[in-house]
Amino acid sequence: MLRRLHPRCSLWLNAALALFCAAAFLLVLLWPLRSFSEATTYTAEERALLDAFESGEIIRLHVLADGDDAESQRVKLCVRDALIAAFGDLLVDASHADADAVYETLLAQVSRMEEVALTCARENGFTGPVTAEAGVLTLPEKTYGQVTLPAGDYRGLRVTLGSGQGRNWWCVLFPQLCLAVSSDGVEPQPSEVPSLTWDAERILSQWLIFPV
């Protein structure tokens, strides 16, 4: 003959059962996230970017075009090329030290960078204002490979042509990366991505072709 459980025992049993069901539900809910995280394999460059983001050592560069018309975009790329030709080696040398050295270089050279950008823009027929800012800047969200940098405040350099309302070109000055991946879905095939160590010639020939 079956014996009925004491009401208090029945309450404890129901509570334990409810707790078990809740735990099982959470496990089922979270398991796909755990599996996804474990399945994500970052490249060495992406891992360096993540580590730098977590430690606050990222330094970014943005060049903003006046507009999205072909001429504005052409001038933007000419200014980008002029800046790297004039300051690429200096930034490479600074990056061999640490993020602070790169940042201090930007702060010390920002006036010269603005002069170089202005001269290049004028030589290419652009008559609007040209400004360069170095410091802690509010920058938009950008995606580099499998890593998304959220919008927020970052140390960096921003060069603005005219209204600055056109698609901009960006890269990461520290760590020594300049990834050819943009957040508008334009991505190179894996076989097309070179080693991501900063190198002016490779950057100019391959990485700087993804404006956003």
Side-chain angles (χ1 to χ4, degrees):
M1 178 180 295
L2 295 176
R3 297 179 60 186
R4 297 183 60 185
L5 293 174
H6 189 279
R8 183 171 294 176
C9 293
S10 180
L11 272 174
W12 280 106
L13 183 61
N14 288 338
L17 183 60
L19 186 60
F20 173 80
C21 290
F25 174 77
L26 286 174
L27 182 62
V28 170
L29 185 65
L30 296 177
W31 184 261
L33 296 179
R34 178 177 179 271
S35 299
F36 177 79
S37 177
E38 290 177 348
T40 302
T41 301
Y42 294 108
T43 66
E45 291 79 15
E46 289 166 345
R47 175 54 60 189
L49 189 59
L50 282 171
D51 292 344
F53 174 71
E54 291 172 359
S55 64
E57 293 187 323
I58 285 180
I59 298 180
R60 294 168 60 173
L61 164 63
H62 287 241
V63 181
L64 285 65
D66 184 43
D68 286 337
D69 58 283
E71 180 61 15
S72 294
Q73 290 295 308
R74 184 190 70 81
V75 173
K76 173 194 73 176
L77 297 181
C78 289
V79 168
R80 171 207 68 192
D81 293 352
L83 288 170
I84 290 183
F87 302 100
D89 290 342
L90 190 63
L91 291 169
V92 169
D93 290 343
S95 69
H96 291 156
D98 55 26
D100 290 339
V102 174
Y103 185 57
E104 291 300 324
T105 300
L106 293 182
L107 294 177
Q109 299 294 329
V110 64
S111 295
R112 286 187 57 214
M113 290 175 172
E114 184 171 281
E115 291 174 5
V116 168
L118 177 62
T119 298
C120 177
R122 293 291 183 262
E123 289 174 349
N124 281 274
F126 182 72
T127 59
V130 176
T131 61
E133 308 166 78
V136 178
L137 309 171
T138 300
L139 298 174
E141 175 184 288
K142 293 296 179 185
T143 297
Y144 300 79
Q146 301 177 88
V147 179
T148 296
L149 300 178
D153 295 335
Y154 295 83
R155 291 189 294 178
L157 170 68
R158 177 168 54 209
V159 178
T160 305
L161 304 173
S163 68
Q165 296 302 304
R167 294 191 309 277
N168 70 93
W169 173 84
W170 80 95
C171 79
V172 177
L173 294 176
F174 192 92
Q176 296 178 38
L177 310 176
C178 215
L179 309 189
V181 183
S182 62
S183 58
D184 65 349
V186 180
E187 299 187 7
Q189 297 302 312
S191 61
E192 298 173 349
V193 180
S195 168
L196 296 178
T197 301
W198 176 281
D199 178 274
E201 183 177 353
R202 280 205 298 274
I203 289 171
L204 289 176
S205 65
Q206 299 189 51
W207 290 339
L208 304 190
I209 59 175
F210 295 91
V212 169

